[in-house]
Amino acid sequence: MMKRIVVGIKRVVDYNVRIRVKPDGSGVALDGVKMSVNPFDEIALEEAIRIKERGLAEEVVVASVGPADCQAQLRTCLAMGADRALHVHSDTPTEPLTTARILLKLIEREQPFLVLLGKQAIDDDNGQTGQMLAALWQRPQATFASKIALAEGKAQVTREVDAGLETLEVDLPAVVTADLRLNEPRYVKLPEIMKAKKKPLETLSVESLGIAPRVHLRTVRVDPPPQRQKGMCVENAAELVAALKAKGLLAS
Amino acid sequence: MSAAILIVAEHDGSTLATGTAKCVACAATVAQAQITVVVCASDAAAVARQAADLQGVHRVLTVEHPVHAHPLAAAIAPQIAALAAPYTHVFGPSSTFGKDLMPRIAALLETAQVSDIMAVESPRRFRRPIYAGNAIVTVEIPEDAKVVGTVRTASFPAAGTGGTARIEKVAAPAEPPPHTRFVSSTAAKSDRPDLQTAARVISGGRALGSAEAFQMLYRLADKLGAAVGASRAAVDAGYAPNELQVGQTGKIIAPELYVAIGISGAIQHLTGIKDARTIVAINKDPQAPIFEVADLGLVGDLFEIVPQIEKLL
């Protein structure tokens, strides 16, 4: 069987965009906003490509659940080095649990030895899909990975946890979610973008996978965050220390 | 209708993490909540006593199994899922422990998760940040579903002590899978206060320019009894270890005093500190966005200012 890695990616508002909440509280204004591959997913993909380049995998399949537009992000992934793409069409955003169910169907079809995703998407900041997928698949998970070392049938994954670094050993297949310091994704060059146009991109419907999307969580409204009041400036270190003392912030 | 809330305790085998006390405080804001804390450990006695001591906790369950000597999500999730039937809510802290574990529990329970709960509007309605805290969404879980959530610990005070919950030992309801094994941990034991819970935090950014320069911040922090934090840029540049990172993808903190030194204040960083009581910014660029949120700002060269402050303390 072909040694395959599946990478899940999400189309999100670009990292550098300063988002605006719609005045009617119905959501975030997305019209005309630059969209990109979720940065953590890009790191996950880069890792998959590097594993293949080291000869430890034969094929990298990138998958995304989203509207027709997310094919642009899948093409970017193909240009980075993924071999083929799976687009599961959904015009409405899917909740992490539904996304995990969809990815599980794709995994049953593709039989990967490793599934890589970003640790969270920077739009909803949920950080759930990888763990949910691992649970449904009844396979190991290693989240927040900063290093992946593959051996026969297993992987040692170093994770960024609150206390520092933790290393787990997991049997394969497993789900690993990428943290920031796993790698630095490559820049895509023009010839690769041209080549990517010829790589296979298959579109599937959610229904064809036998999944009925369920709404587990209803969005009531979206508000802008409370703003902090701008404070004052002091002129030098002495004034700063005096101001902190006056506020009682330096007493022990 | 009353709420029966199960909180998954975070601990290191001997000490209950503060995040658990914050989950209890969050759960206590749910109307008519009856709060149970579950401790999965190889030896749960000490941690269970600390959980039973928290104000508002009704009952503590202990699940003992050798595999729980380390907090493996794949091992803990099936235990919690098996215990969850009588509960309306299952909460855990929004630490790396809870972020790793809770979605796995939610999936086993076939329900959604509310990540990073910052406020409880009703037993089924919660507010949480999205887009790095640049928007706050209010979400609702339908009546027939269990609520699984992680609690944004910076949004809640820690529950007080002096409680008198009873402790019950339960036989491990699930046999943990053998496919995931703990290998090692580099958890640095530090004499400094914990970044997540410290009252004062001194944080450095890219402008520090080197790991050596960061030593200056450690000295200042030690004088103030403060923890040390860092921006993503400083961590990426290797000036500070990753566990010090504050921001959207690092730690979300709410100290009394946050001193940002040489940090420009990207939105991803600001989301990690916006609950700080007082923010102080020291930066040579007067246009740096950090000054937009700082209560006290000082424009100037940090390499001159920090030693001056140290002398003045």
Side-chain angles (χ1 to χ4, degrees):
Chain A
M1 194 170 61
M2 189 178 263
K3 288 200 68 161
R4 184 175 288 138
I5 302 175
V6 168
V7 181
I9 68 122
K10 186 178 184 186
R11 168 189 167 89
V12 298
V13 171
D14 186 80
Y15 187 78
N16 291 307
V17 172
R18 198 153 197 156
I19 58 105
R20 236 172 9 87
V21 174
K22 290 185 196 165
D24 65 358
S26 65
V28 166
L30 297 177
D31 290 345
V33 166
K34 186 186 177 199
M35 305 295 280
S36 295
V37 179
N38 178 45
F40 291 102
D41 301 344
E42 213 174 5
I43 295 169
L45 175 61
E46 174 67 32
E47 193 67 14
I49 296 166
R50 290 187 192 186
I51 291 168
K52 186 189 162 193
E53 286 170 347
R54 289 202 300 270
L56 299 172
E58 293 163 280
E59 188 183 41
V60 175
V61 179
V62 63
S64 191
V65 184
D69 288 341
C70 83
Q71 292 194 5
Q73 278 67 41
L74 285 170
R75 288 286 173 204
T76 302
C77 294
L78 292 170
M80 269 180 76
D83 296 293
R84 61 190 169 88
L86 301 172
H87 170 220
V88 179
H89 190 116
S90 173
D91 284 322
T92 50
T94 49
E95 292 176 15
L97 185 56
T98 302
T99 307
R101 285 186 174 126
I102 292 168
L103 289 175
L104 180 63
K105 291 286 182 191
L106 300 180
I107 282 165
E108 286 167 353
R109 202 180 87 162
E110 301 289 343
Q111 298 286 310
F113 73 98
L114 182 64
V115 177
L116 285 162
L117 300 98
K119 73 163 180 177
Q120 77 193 68
I122 60 163
D123 52 2
D124 288 333
D125 284 333
N126 274 317
Q128 301 172 6
T129 305
Q131 297 91 309
M132 287 181 159
L133 172 62
L136 299 176
W137 195 18
Q138 298 176 33
R139 293 305 307 166
Q141 68 187 46
T143 50
F144 327 135
S146 63
K147 189 174 173 219
I148 303 173
L150 292 173
E152 195 51 48
K154 53 194 177 189
Q156 283 215 350
V157 182
T158 303
R159 309 175 53 229
E160 297 200 357
V161 294
D162 288 335
L165 297 172
E166 178 192 78
T167 303
L168 297 182
E169 183 178 78
V170 294
D171 292 338
L172 298 175
V175 177
V176 177
T177 72
D179 213 320
L180 282 175
R181 281 167 282 275
L182 182 58
N183 60 51
E184 206 166 306
R186 67 196 64 193
Y187 285 101
V188 177
K189 297 190 199 77
L190 188 62
E192 270 91 45
I193 295 171
M194 302 309 288
K195 264 195 286 184
K197 289 182 179 162
K198 297 204 183 80
K199 287 186 177 176
L201 190 160
E202 184 185 350
T203 300
L204 305 132
S205 69
V206 177
E207 293 70 30
S208 74
L209 294 169
I211 293 189
R214 278 191 267 160
V215 177
H216 304 87
L217 202 104
R218 191 172 71 83
T219 297
V220 180
R221 65 171 190 279
V222 178
D223 300 309
Q227 294 299 316
R228 279 187 85 100
Q229 292 289 322
K230 193 177 168 163
M232 54 178 244
C233 266
V234 292
E235 291 301 317
N236 54 48
E239 281 186 27
L240 178 61
V241 171
L244 290 175
K245 278 188 179 152
K247 283 172 170 260
L249 287 164
L250 297 184
S252 46
Chain B
M1 206 184 88
S2 67
I5 304 181
L6 183 65
I7 293 170
V8 187
E10 177 177 3
H11 61 87
D12 62 2
S14 55
T15 308
L16 186 69
T18 319
T20 306
K22 301 202 166 197
C23 288
V24 171
C26 170
T29 66
V30 177
Q32 292 179 292
Q34 194 165 67
I35 301 169
T36 301
V37 175
V38 56
V39 179
C40 293
S42 53
D43 175 357
V47 175
R49 276 196 302 276
Q50 294 160 48
D53 189 38
L54 291 175
Q55 287 284 356
V57 177
H58 172 72
R59 188 169 63 143
V60 176
L61 301 179
T62 63
V63 177
E64 294 187 329
H65 190 291
V67 76
H68 297 318
H70 302 287
L72 302 174
I76 300 172
Q79 310 284 19
I80 306 302
L83 291 171
Y87 299 93
T88 53
H89 300 61
V90 185
F91 284 170
S94 193
S95 55
T96 52
F97 164 79
K99 287 178 180 175
D100 183 41
L101 171 66
M102 300 309 290
R104 193 161 179 124
I105 294 172
L108 294 177
L109 296 172
E110 299 192 340
T111 190
Q113 172 177 300
V114 184
S115 294
D116 305 315
I117 294 170
M118 57 190 291
V120 176
E121 290 212 334
S122 84
R124 308 206 147 259
R125 205 180 257 213
F126 307 91
R127 282 161 71 76
R128 59 174 299 264
I130 53 175
Y131 288 94
N134 287 293
I136 309 296
V137 64
T138 304
V139 294
E140 192 169 69
I141 301 271
E143 282 294 334
D144 55 354
K146 244 183 241 312
V147 180
V148 174
T150 58
V151 172
R152 184 175 182 275
T153 50
S155 299
F156 296 90
T161 53
T164 51
R166 64 176 193 275
I167 299 172
E168 287 171 35
K169 190 170 175 157
V170 292
E175 189 48 42
H179 56 46
T180 305
R181 297 167 293 274
F182 174 84
V183 176
S184 63
S185 152
T186 65
K189 281 281 174 214
S190 164
D191 294 334
R192 294 193 177 86
D194 175 39
L195 173 58
Q196 198 88 57
T197 51
R200 296 169 198 157
V201 174
I202 306 291
S203 214
R206 201 205 311 263
L208 268 292
S210 70
E212 293 71 43
F214 242 82
Q215 292 305 317
M216 187 166 70
L217 301 195
Y218 285 109
R219 282 199 306 273
L220 183 60
D222 288 347
K223 271 208 151 169
L224 285 168
V228 173
S231 70
R232 178 187 165 187
V235 173
D236 281 354
Y239 307 160
N242 71 283
E243 63 267 26
L244 298 193
Q245 186 179 320
V246 173
Q248 181 188 21
T249 59
K251 291 190 171 73
I252 311 284
I253 58 175
E256 292 292 313
L257 174 63
Y258 185 80
V259 184
I261 299 175
I263 292 177
S264 61
I267 49 174
Q268 290 82 6
H269 184 75
L270 300 183
T271 192
I273 61 168
K274 61 172 68 168
D275 291 308
R277 182 73 63 83
T278 298
I279 296 175
V280 173
I282 299 169
N283 203 300
K284 70 175 180 214
D285 174 11
Q287 305 300 324
I290 190 78
F291 288 117
E292 295 296 316
V293 299
D295 300 282
L296 282 169
L298 175 50
V299 177
D301 182 356
L302 70 94
F303 292 99
E304 288 171 15
I305 293 167
V306 173
Q308 287 168 1
I309 295 174
E310 208 188 318
K311 279 203 196 99
L312 288 162
L313 293 174

